[in-house]
Amino acid sequence: SCYGGQIQGRLVLNEEENIEPLTNELLKCLSKFNNYEIIFVNDSSNDNSLNILNQIVANNNAKIVILNN
C-alpha cells in the first residue's frame, strides 16, 4: 500500500491470486515518481506465484526484481 510516498511490502508466499492486483496498485502509486524499484521476495511458494511474477516482469517496463528465498 502507498502511504505518503512510502511503500510497504510483503513477502510472496503462495499469493498467486494477489500478485497481479498488488502489482497494479504499486504501479499506480509509483507512477508519479521517476525512480523506483519494486522488489518481490518469493519465499519458496509452491503455487503459481513465481510464474506469475516472471510474467509480470516480462510484460512490464517498470523496474521489477524477483528475489528467491
Side-chain angles (χ1 to χ4, degrees), residues 2 6 11 16-17 34 52:
C2 281
Q6 295 182 350
L11 293 175
E16 66 184 348
E17 294 179 13
N34 292 327
I52 293 169

Side-chain angles (χ1 to χ4, degrees), residues 29-63:
C29 290
L30 294 169
S31 66
K32 57 188 160 198
F33 301 102
N34 292 327
N35 189 17
Y36 63 86
E37 183 176 58
I38 299 172
I39 302 171
F40 287 104
V41 178
N42 178 38
D43 201 18
S44 302
S45 295
N46 59 17
D47 65 356
N48 203 32
S49 295
L50 184 57
N51 291 331
I52 293 169
L53 286 170
N54 285 324
Q55 288 175 350
I56 290 170
V57 169
N59 295 323
N60 201 299
N61 293 330
K63 178 68 173 168

Side-chain angles (χ1 to χ4, degrees), residues 10-29:
R10 292 180 176 80
L11 293 175
V12 175
L13 178 60
N14 299 329
E15 292 288 344
E16 66 184 348
E17 294 179 13
N18 299 311
I19 293 170
E20 194 166 358
L22 171 63
T23 303
N24 291 338
E25 185 65 25
L26 288 171
L27 291 172
K28 179 180 168 186
C29 290

